[in-house]
Amino acid sequence: MLKNRMTKLAALVALGTLGLAGCSSGTPVQPAGGGNSAPGGGQSETGNGALACPGGELVGSGSSAQKSALQTMIKAYTDQCEGTKIEYSSPGSGDGIKAFIAKQVDWAGTDSALKTKPAEGQDASEMEQAAERCDAPAWNLPMVVGPVAFAYNLDGITDLNLDAEVLAEIFKGEITKWNDPAIAALNEGVDLPDLAISVFFRSKESGTTENMTKYLQAASDGAWTEDPSKAWKGKVGEGKAETADVADAVNNTAGGLSYMEWGAALERNLGIAKLAGTELNSQSVGEAIDGAEIVGTDGDLSLELKYDGLPETAYPAVMVTYEAVCSGGQDAAKTALLKDFLGYFASAEGQGQLEAIGYAPLPESMIKQVEDSIAAIK
C-alpha cells in the first residue's frame, strides 16, 4: 500500500508553478546546469550511488500530461550525471508514438498504452509497428500517475462532494445550478449558492478527457452513455484548448467547474471536489492504482484501471501515463542510458519528488514491477 507522503497544501501550491498546468507547451525539456564534463563521466559524485551515469544523449516525445514530471526527473538525473543530455518534447501522445515508431526518438510518453488492435485504415497495431521498429517487443511502463481533479470556484465553500452520476448530469446540461437538489443531497449542511454552473472542457483532444469519461461511464450508473473519447462528448460548456486555459477559466469564473490535472488545480488554489466522499490525495490515488490489473505480458506492464467497485477510500478518477520503450534490439550505449534514467525515474527517490508538482507516486508494489521490467531491457 502506498505510504501517505502528503505535504501541506500551502507547500504544494507554492511549488505548483512547476505543475501540470504548464504541460501544454511542446517545447523540449532540457537539463538545466548539466555541467561541462564529458559524457560517460562515470559514477555520480552527488550522492546517489545507485546511478551508473553512463553518459550520452536521449530524446523522448509525447504526452503533455507528464511534461512536468519529465522536467523534474531530467533535471534531477542530469544534476547527478553531469554531461548527460536528455530532451523531452510534448506535442501529445499520438505524435510521440508516431515519432517513436519512425525511430525519430528513443522513447515515447503516452497517456494510454500502445494499442494492440489496428486503427481504422491500418494493417498493423501500434504494438506491432513498435515491435518492428525495435526489432523486439515494445513495452509500456507505467511511470506517472495523474489524478483527475474536478475543480470548482465557489466563494466560501472549501468542502464539496460530488459523484459520477451528478457530474454526468452536469456535463449533459441536466443539472445547471449549484443548489440543485441532487448536489444538495451530497452536501448536507453546506450553503450552496443559487448560481449557474459554468462548465469548461478541453476543446483539443486530450488523454485527460478520455480518462475522465472512462470514469464517468463506469461509475455513473448509466447516467453517462457516451463512449470514452479524447474528444469532448458533453452537451454544455465552453471549450478551452489547454489545461492551463481550462484552469484559468475556472479560476476567473464564479461558479466555474471543470476536470483537470491535479497540479493545475493546486497551482491556482481552486476547490477540489471529493468523489463520493473520497478526498483526492496520494493515499487515495494509490489505493485506486493498487486495484488495477496488469494486462500486458512479460515485461509489458499495460494496466486496466478500475473506476467502479473500488474500496470507498480509493479515489477513482485517475490517469496513468506510460513510457513506451523497446525491450531490446537497440544501440547499447543509448539502452544503458535509458535504463539508468528510467530506473531513477521509477525509484522511490524519483517517484517521491512528484507529489509536490501535482502527481501521485506509484504504489510501492508497482515500483518493484517497473524496476524489474527496466532491468530486463536488453
Side-chain angles (χ1 to χ4, degrees), residues 169-198:
E169 291 174 352
I170 290 172
F171 293 145
K172 290 191 302 182
E174 296 175 5
I175 293 176
T176 61
K177 292 287 190 75
W178 279 108
N179 63 346
D180 185 280
I183 300 177
L186 296 174
N187 294 275
E188 187 176 351
V190 177
D191 186 16
L192 296 166
D194 183 12
L195 179 67
I197 302 173
S198 296

PDB file of all heavy atoms in Angstrom, residues 169-198:
ATOM      1  N   GLU A 169     -24.593  14.318 -15.125  1.00  0.00           N
ATOM      2  CA  GLU A 169     -25.778  15.136 -15.385  1.00  0.00           C
ATOM      3  C   GLU A 169     -25.415  16.615 -15.545  1.00  0.00           C
ATOM      4  O   GLU A 169     -26.053  17.337 -16.321  1.00  0.00           O
ATOM      5  CB  GLU A 169     -26.798  14.933 -14.265  1.00  0.00           C
ATOM      6  CG  GLU A 169     -27.408  13.525 -14.301  1.00  0.00           C
ATOM      7  CD  GLU A 169     -28.313  13.229 -13.126  1.00  0.00           C
ATOM      8  OE1 GLU A 169     -28.369  14.056 -12.192  1.00  0.00           O
ATOM      9  OE2 GLU A 169     -28.979  12.174 -13.144  1.00  0.00           O
ATOM     10  N   ILE A 170     -24.383  17.055 -14.837  1.00  0.00           N
ATOM     11  CA  ILE A 170     -23.901  18.428 -15.038  1.00  0.00           C
ATOM     12  C   ILE A 170     -23.351  18.577 -16.456  1.00  0.00           C
ATOM     13  O   ILE A 170     -23.680  19.525 -17.182  1.00  0.00           O
ATOM     14  CB  ILE A 170     -22.825  18.785 -14.000  1.00  0.00           C
ATOM     15  CG1 ILE A 170     -23.435  18.931 -12.605  1.00  0.00           C
ATOM     16  CG2 ILE A 170     -22.110  20.082 -14.392  1.00  0.00           C
ATOM     17  CD1 ILE A 170     -22.408  19.090 -11.496  1.00  0.00           C
ATOM     18  N   PHE A 171     -22.510  17.634 -16.878  1.00  0.00           N
ATOM     19  CA  PHE A 171     -21.870  17.746 -18.190  1.00  0.00           C
ATOM     20  C   PHE A 171     -22.854  17.514 -19.335  1.00  0.00           C
ATOM     21  O   PHE A 171     -22.578  17.903 -20.475  1.00  0.00           O
ATOM     22  CB  PHE A 171     -20.699  16.769 -18.283  1.00  0.00           C
ATOM     23  CG  PHE A 171     -19.556  17.096 -17.357  1.00  0.00           C
ATOM     24  CD1 PHE A 171     -18.806  16.086 -16.766  1.00  0.00           C
ATOM     25  CD2 PHE A 171     -19.218  18.414 -17.077  1.00  0.00           C
ATOM     26  CE1 PHE A 171     -17.740  16.390 -15.919  1.00  0.00           C
ATOM     27  CE2 PHE A 171     -18.158  18.723 -16.224  1.00  0.00           C
ATOM     28  CZ  PHE A 171     -17.431  17.711 -15.647  1.00  0.00           C
ATOM     29  N   LYS A 172     -23.994  16.893 -19.047  1.00  0.00           N
ATOM     30  CA  LYS A 172     -25.040  16.750 -20.069  1.00  0.00           C
ATOM     31  C   LYS A 172     -25.997  17.935 -20.072  1.00  0.00           C
ATOM     32  O   LYS A 172     -26.886  18.015 -20.921  1.00  0.00           O
ATOM     33  CB  LYS A 172     -25.828  15.463 -19.820  1.00  0.00           C
ATOM     34  CG  LYS A 172     -25.045  14.194 -20.090  1.00  0.00           C
ATOM     35  CD  LYS A 172     -25.928  12.963 -20.095  1.00  0.00           C
ATOM     36  CE  LYS A 172     -26.684  12.766 -18.802  1.00  0.00           C
ATOM     37  NZ  LYS A 172     -27.513  11.538 -18.810  1.00  0.00           N
ATOM     38  N   GLY A 173     -25.849  18.844 -19.106  1.00  0.00           N
ATOM     39  CA  GLY A 173     -26.716  20.009 -19.041  1.00  0.00           C
ATOM     40  C   GLY A 173     -28.028  19.777 -18.322  1.00  0.00           C
ATOM     41  O   GLY A 173     -28.933  20.621 -18.390  1.00  0.00           O
ATOM     42  N   GLU A 174     -28.143  18.652 -17.611  1.00  0.00           N
ATOM     43  CA  GLU A 174     -29.372  18.352 -16.886  1.00  0.00           C
ATOM     44  C   GLU A 174     -29.380  18.951 -15.485  1.00  0.00           C
ATOM     45  O   GLU A 174     -30.445  19.149 -14.892  1.00  0.00           O
ATOM     46  CB  GLU A 174     -29.574  16.836 -16.825  1.00  0.00           C
ATOM     47  CG  GLU A 174     -29.773  16.220 -18.210  1.00  0.00           C
ATOM     48  CD  GLU A 174     -29.846  14.710 -18.180  1.00  0.00           C
ATOM     49  OE1 GLU A 174     -29.830  14.126 -17.080  1.00  0.00           O
ATOM     50  OE2 GLU A 174     -29.905  14.106 -19.275  1.00  0.00           O
ATOM     51  N   ILE A 175     -28.228  19.201 -14.912  1.00  0.00           N
ATOM     52  CA  ILE A 175     -28.083  19.955 -13.662  1.00  0.00           C
ATOM     53  C   ILE A 175     -27.355  21.240 -14.011  1.00  0.00           C
ATOM     54  O   ILE A 175     -26.242  21.197 -14.541  1.00  0.00           O
ATOM     55  CB  ILE A 175     -27.297  19.161 -12.608  1.00  0.00           C
ATOM     56  CG1 ILE A 175     -28.097  17.934 -12.162  1.00  0.00           C
ATOM     57  CG2 ILE A 175     -26.955  20.037 -11.406  1.00  0.00           C
ATOM     58  CD1 ILE A 175     -27.349  17.039 -11.186  1.00  0.00           C
ATOM     59  N   THR A 176     -27.983  22.369 -13.722  1.00  0.00           N
ATOM     60  CA  THR A 176     -27.427  23.643 -14.181  1.00  0.00           C
ATOM     61  C   THR A 176     -27.136  24.629 -13.051  1.00  0.00           C
ATOM     62  O   THR A 176     -26.461  25.630 -13.288  1.00  0.00           O
ATOM     63  CB  THR A 176     -28.394  24.317 -15.171  1.00  0.00           C
ATOM     64  OG1 THR A 176     -29.654  24.573 -14.506  1.00  0.00           O
ATOM     65  CG2 THR A 176     -28.637  23.428 -16.388  1.00  0.00           C
ATOM     66  N   LYS A 177     -27.624  24.378 -11.843  1.00  0.00           N
ATOM     67  CA  LYS A 177     -27.419  25.281 -10.709  1.00  0.00           C
ATOM     68  C   LYS A 177     -26.692  24.551  -9.588  1.00  0.00           C
ATOM     69  O   LYS A 177     -26.889  23.345  -9.360  1.00  0.00           O
ATOM     70  CB  LYS A 177     -28.761  25.805 -10.173  1.00  0.00           C
ATOM     71  CG  LYS A 177     -29.505  26.756 -11.119  1.00  0.00           C
ATOM     72  CD  LYS A 177     -28.825  28.108 -11.166  1.00  0.00           C
ATOM     73  CE  LYS A 177     -29.662  29.139 -11.889  1.00  0.00           C
ATOM     74  NZ  LYS A 177     -30.801  29.618 -11.086  1.00  0.00           N
ATOM     75  N   TRP A 178     -25.869  25.301  -8.859  1.00  0.00           N
ATOM     76  CA  TRP A 178     -25.108  24.696  -7.770  1.00  0.00           C
ATOM     77  C   TRP A 178     -25.994  24.243  -6.607  1.00  0.00           C
ATOM     78  O   TRP A 178     -25.614  23.345  -5.858  1.00  0.00           O
ATOM     79  CB  TRP A 178     -24.032  25.659  -7.268  1.00  0.00           C
ATOM     80  CG  TRP A 178     -22.808  25.648  -8.127  1.00  0.00           C
ATOM     81  CD1 TRP A 178     -22.384  26.621  -8.985  1.00  0.00           C
ATOM     82  CD2 TRP A 178     -21.852  24.588  -8.235  1.00  0.00           C
ATOM     83  NE1 TRP A 178     -21.231  26.238  -9.631  1.00  0.00           N
ATOM     84  CE2 TRP A 178     -20.873  24.996  -9.174  1.00  0.00           C
ATOM     85  CE3 TRP A 178     -21.712  23.348  -7.635  1.00  0.00           C
ATOM     86  CZ2 TRP A 178     -19.780  24.201  -9.516  1.00  0.00           C
ATOM     87  CZ3 TRP A 178     -20.621  22.555  -7.979  1.00  0.00           C
ATOM     88  CH2 TRP A 178     -19.679  22.973  -8.895  1.00  0.00           C
ATOM     89  N   ASN A 179     -27.165  24.841  -6.462  1.00  0.00           N
ATOM     90  CA  ASN A 179     -28.048  24.423  -5.365  1.00  0.00           C
ATOM     91  C   ASN A 179     -29.094  23.415  -5.821  1.00  0.00           C
ATOM     92  O   ASN A 179     -30.128  23.230  -5.164  1.00  0.00           O
ATOM     93  CB  ASN A 179     -28.724  25.632  -4.723  1.00  0.00           C
ATOM     94  CG  ASN A 179     -29.639  26.386  -5.687  1.00  0.00           C
ATOM     95  OD1 ASN A 179     -29.586  26.173  -6.899  1.00  0.00           O
ATOM     96  ND2 ASN A 179     -30.467  27.270  -5.150  1.00  0.00           N
ATOM     97  N   ASP A 180     -28.828  22.734  -6.930  1.00  0.00           N
ATOM     98  CA  ASP A 180     -29.720  21.677  -7.394  1.00  0.00           C
ATOM     99  C   ASP A 180     -29.884  20.617  -6.300  1.00  0.00           C
ATOM    100  O   ASP A 180     -28.930  20.293  -5.588  1.00  0.00           O
ATOM    101  CB  ASP A 180     -29.124  21.035  -8.659  1.00  0.00           C
ATOM    102  CG  ASP A 180     -30.050  20.002  -9.285  1.00  0.00           C
ATOM    103  OD1 ASP A 180     -30.086  18.856  -8.784  1.00  0.00           O
ATOM    104  OD2 ASP A 180     -30.717  20.340 -10.262  1.00  0.00           O
ATOM    105  N   PRO A 181     -31.091  20.071  -6.146  1.00  0.00           N
ATOM    106  CA  PRO A 181     -31.319  19.077  -5.083  1.00  0.00           C
ATOM    107  C   PRO A 181     -30.363  17.888  -5.121  1.00  0.00           C
ATOM    108  O   PRO A 181     -30.002  17.346  -4.067  1.00  0.00           O
ATOM    109  CB  PRO A 181     -32.758  18.627  -5.339  1.00  0.00           C
ATOM    110  CG  PRO A 181     -33.411  19.814  -5.984  1.00  0.00           C
ATOM    111  CD  PRO A 181     -32.338  20.427  -6.841  1.00  0.00           C
ATOM    112  N   ALA A 182     -29.931  17.471  -6.304  1.00  0.00           N
ATOM    113  CA  ALA A 182     -29.026  16.324  -6.389  1.00  0.00           C
ATOM    114  C   ALA A 182     -27.664  16.653  -5.788  1.00  0.00           C
ATOM    115  O   ALA A 182     -27.035  15.805  -5.145  1.00  0.00           O
ATOM    116  CB  ALA A 182     -28.861  15.898  -7.849  1.00  0.00           C
ATOM    117  N   ILE A 183     -27.186  17.892  -5.977  1.00  0.00           N
ATOM    118  CA  ILE A 183     -25.924  18.303  -5.354  1.00  0.00           C
ATOM    119  C   ILE A 183     -26.132  18.518  -3.865  1.00  0.00           C
ATOM    120  O   ILE A 183     -25.285  18.114  -3.047  1.00  0.00           O
ATOM    121  CB  ILE A 183     -25.377  19.581  -6.024  1.00  0.00           C
ATOM    122  CG1 ILE A 183     -25.133  19.345  -7.515  1.00  0.00           C
ATOM    123  CG2 ILE A 183     -24.081  20.029  -5.344  1.00  0.00           C
ATOM    124  CD1 ILE A 183     -24.651  20.569  -8.275  1.00  0.00           C
ATOM    125  N   ALA A 184     -27.249  19.121  -3.499  1.00  0.00           N
ATOM    126  CA  ALA A 184     -27.535  19.365  -2.083  1.00  0.00           C
ATOM    127  C   ALA A 184     -27.601  18.063  -1.296  1.00  0.00           C
ATOM    128  O   ALA A 184     -27.156  17.991  -0.137  1.00  0.00           O
ATOM    129  CB  ALA A 184     -28.838  20.146  -1.943  1.00  0.00           C
ATOM    130  N   ALA A 185     -28.127  17.004  -1.906  1.00  0.00           N
ATOM    131  CA  ALA A 185     -28.241  15.716  -1.212  1.00  0.00           C
ATOM    132  C   ALA A 185     -26.877  15.134  -0.876  1.00  0.00           C
ATOM    133  O   ALA A 185     -26.753  14.361   0.088  1.00  0.00           O
ATOM    134  CB  ALA A 185     -29.033  14.736  -2.070  1.00  0.00           C
ATOM    135  N   LEU A 186     -25.854  15.508  -1.650  1.00  0.00           N
ATOM    136  CA  LEU A 186     -24.495  15.025  -1.385  1.00  0.00           C
ATOM    137  C   LEU A 186     -23.720  15.933  -0.442  1.00  0.00           C
ATOM    138  O   LEU A 186     -22.591  15.611  -0.064  1.00  0.00           O
ATOM    139  CB  LEU A 186     -23.713  14.909  -2.703  1.00  0.00           C
ATOM    140  CG  LEU A 186     -24.214  13.899  -3.728  1.00  0.00           C
ATOM    141  CD1 LEU A 186     -23.429  14.026  -5.029  1.00  0.00           C
ATOM    142  CD2 LEU A 186     -24.118  12.481  -3.186  1.00  0.00           C
ATOM    143  N   ASN A 187     -24.320  17.069  -0.075  1.00  0.00           N
ATOM    144  CA  ASN A 187     -23.603  18.087   0.699  1.00  0.00           C
ATOM    145  C   ASN A 187     -24.486  18.645   1.810  1.00  0.00           C
ATOM    146  O   ASN A 187     -24.744  19.842   1.886  1.00  0.00           O
ATOM    147  CB  ASN A 187     -23.129  19.212  -0.226  1.00  0.00           C
ATOM    148  CG  ASN A 187     -22.084  18.754  -1.210  1.00  0.00           C
ATOM    149  OD1 ASN A 187     -20.902  18.715  -0.920  1.00  0.00           O
ATOM    150  ND2 ASN A 187     -22.541  18.391  -2.420  1.00  0.00           N
ATOM    151  N   GLU A 188     -24.937  17.768   2.678  1.00  0.00           N
ATOM    152  CA  GLU A 188     -25.805  18.173   3.779  1.00  0.00           C
ATOM    153  C   GLU A 188     -25.095  19.200   4.660  1.00  0.00           C
ATOM    154  O   GLU A 188     -23.938  19.027   5.050  1.00  0.00           O
ATOM    155  CB  GLU A 188     -26.195  16.952   4.610  1.00  0.00           C
ATOM    156  CG  GLU A 188     -27.225  17.238   5.681  1.00  0.00           C
ATOM    157  CD  GLU A 188     -27.660  15.982   6.413  1.00  0.00           C
ATOM    158  OE1 GLU A 188     -27.286  14.878   5.975  1.00  0.00           O
ATOM    159  OE2 GLU A 188     -28.392  16.126   7.419  1.00  0.00           O
ATOM    160  N   GLY A 189     -25.770  20.295   4.938  1.00  0.00           N
ATOM    161  CA  GLY A 189     -25.218  21.334   5.801  1.00  0.00           C
ATOM    162  C   GLY A 189     -24.390  22.380   5.081  1.00  0.00           C
ATOM    163  O   GLY A 189     -23.960  23.360   5.694  1.00  0.00           O
ATOM    164  N   VAL A 190     -24.162  22.199   3.782  1.00  0.00           N
ATOM    165  CA  VAL A 190     -23.390  23.171   3.003  1.00  0.00           C
ATOM    166  C   VAL A 190     -24.356  24.161   2.369  1.00  0.00           C
ATOM    167  O   VAL A 190     -25.363  23.776   1.756  1.00  0.00           O
ATOM    168  CB  VAL A 190     -22.551  22.481   1.913  1.00  0.00           C
ATOM    169  CG1 VAL A 190     -21.807  23.511   1.071  1.00  0.00           C
ATOM    170  CG2 VAL A 190     -21.588  21.494   2.544  1.00  0.00           C
ATOM    171  N   ASP A 191     -24.073  25.457   2.505  1.00  0.00           N
ATOM    172  CA  ASP A 191     -24.933  26.509   1.959  1.00  0.00           C
ATOM    173  C   ASP A 191     -24.571  26.733   0.492  1.00  0.00           C
ATOM    174  O   ASP A 191     -23.765  27.597   0.152  1.00  0.00           O
ATOM    175  CB  ASP A 191     -24.753  27.798   2.762  1.00  0.00           C
ATOM    176  CG  ASP A 191     -25.735  28.890   2.343  1.00  0.00           C
ATOM    177  OD1 ASP A 191     -26.729  28.556   1.665  1.00  0.00           O
ATOM    178  OD2 ASP A 191     -25.503  30.063   2.687  1.00  0.00           O
ATOM    179  N   LEU A 192     -25.184  25.949  -0.367  1.00  0.00           N
ATOM    180  CA  LEU A 192     -24.889  26.027  -1.794  1.00  0.00           C
ATOM    181  C   LEU A 192     -25.578  27.240  -2.412  1.00  0.00           C
ATOM    182  O   LEU A 192     -26.752  27.500  -2.142  1.00  0.00           O
ATOM    183  CB  LEU A 192     -25.348  24.753  -2.506  1.00  0.00           C
ATOM    184  CG  LEU A 192     -24.627  23.471  -2.086  1.00  0.00           C
ATOM    185  CD1 LEU A 192     -25.388  22.244  -2.579  1.00  0.00           C
ATOM    186  CD2 LEU A 192     -23.202  23.469  -2.630  1.00  0.00           C
ATOM    187  N   PRO A 193     -24.899  27.990  -3.268  1.00  0.00           N
ATOM    188  CA  PRO A 193     -25.485  29.211  -3.820  1.00  0.00           C
ATOM    189  C   PRO A 193     -26.452  28.939  -4.980  1.00  0.00           C
ATOM    190  O   PRO A 193     -26.318  27.942  -5.699  1.00  0.00           O
ATOM    191  CB  PRO A 193     -24.258  29.979  -4.330  1.00  0.00           C
ATOM    192  CG  PRO A 193     -23.281  28.911  -4.689  1.00  0.00           C
ATOM    193  CD  PRO A 193     -23.493  27.809  -3.689  1.00  0.00           C
ATOM    194  N   ASP A 194     -27.381  29.844  -5.170  1.00  0.00           N
ATOM    195  CA  ASP A 194     -28.272  29.817  -6.332  1.00  0.00           C
ATOM    196  C   ASP A 194     -27.520  30.465  -7.488  1.00  0.00           C
ATOM    197  O   ASP A 194     -27.759  31.606  -7.882  1.00  0.00           O
ATOM    198  CB  ASP A 194     -29.558  30.585  -6.023  1.00  0.00           C
ATOM    199  CG  ASP A 194     -30.557  30.534  -7.168  1.00  0.00           C
ATOM    200  OD1 ASP A 194     -30.353  29.716  -8.093  1.00  0.00           O
ATOM    201  OD2 ASP A 194     -31.517  31.327  -7.171  1.00  0.00           O
ATOM    202  N   LEU A 195     -26.577  29.695  -8.032  1.00  0.00           N
ATOM    203  CA  LEU A 195     -25.628  30.208  -9.010  1.00  0.00           C
ATOM    204  C   LEU A 195     -25.489  29.208 -10.145  1.00  0.00           C
ATOM    205  O   LEU A 195     -25.454  27.996  -9.920  1.00  0.00           O
ATOM    206  CB  LEU A 195     -24.264  30.418  -8.331  1.00  0.00           C
ATOM    207  CG  LEU A 195     -23.095  30.931  -9.176  1.00  0.00           C
ATOM    208  CD1 LEU A 195     -23.360  32.363  -9.636  1.00  0.00           C
ATOM    209  CD2 LEU A 195     -21.799  30.876  -8.363  1.00  0.00           C
ATOM    210  N   ALA A 196     -25.422  29.721 -11.359  1.00  0.00           N
ATOM    211  CA  ALA A 196     -25.262  28.838 -12.519  1.00  0.00           C
ATOM    212  C   ALA A 196     -23.919  28.118 -12.474  1.00  0.00           C
ATOM    213  O   ALA A 196     -22.910  28.694 -12.063  1.00  0.00           O
ATOM    214  CB  ALA A 196     -25.383  29.642 -13.809  1.00  0.00           C
ATOM    215  N   ILE A 197     -23.913  26.860 -12.901  1.00  0.00           N
ATOM    216  CA  ILE A 197     -22.670  26.107 -13.040  1.00  0.00           C
ATOM    217  C   ILE A 197     -22.077  26.430 -14.415  1.00  0.00           C
ATOM    218  O   ILE A 197     -22.703  26.174 -15.445  1.00  0.00           O
ATOM    219  CB  ILE A 197     -22.911  24.596 -12.930  1.00  0.00           C
ATOM    220  CG1 ILE A 197     -23.565  24.249 -11.579  1.00  0.00           C
ATOM    221  CG2 ILE A 197     -21.593  23.832 -13.086  1.00  0.00           C
ATOM    222  CD1 ILE A 197     -23.995  22.794 -11.471  1.00  0.00           C
ATOM    223  N   SER A 198     -20.898  26.999 -14.428  1.00  0.00           N
ATOM    224  CA  SER A 198     -20.219  27.326 -15.680  1.00  0.00           C
ATOM    225  C   SER A 198     -19.200  26.226 -15.978  1.00  0.00           C
ATOM    226  O   SER A 198     -18.152  26.155 -15.344  1.00  0.00           O
ATOM    227  CB  SER A 198     -19.522  28.683 -15.580  1.00  0.00           C
ATOM    228  OG  SER A 198     -20.467  29.724 -15.402  1.00  0.00           O
TER     229      SER A 198
END
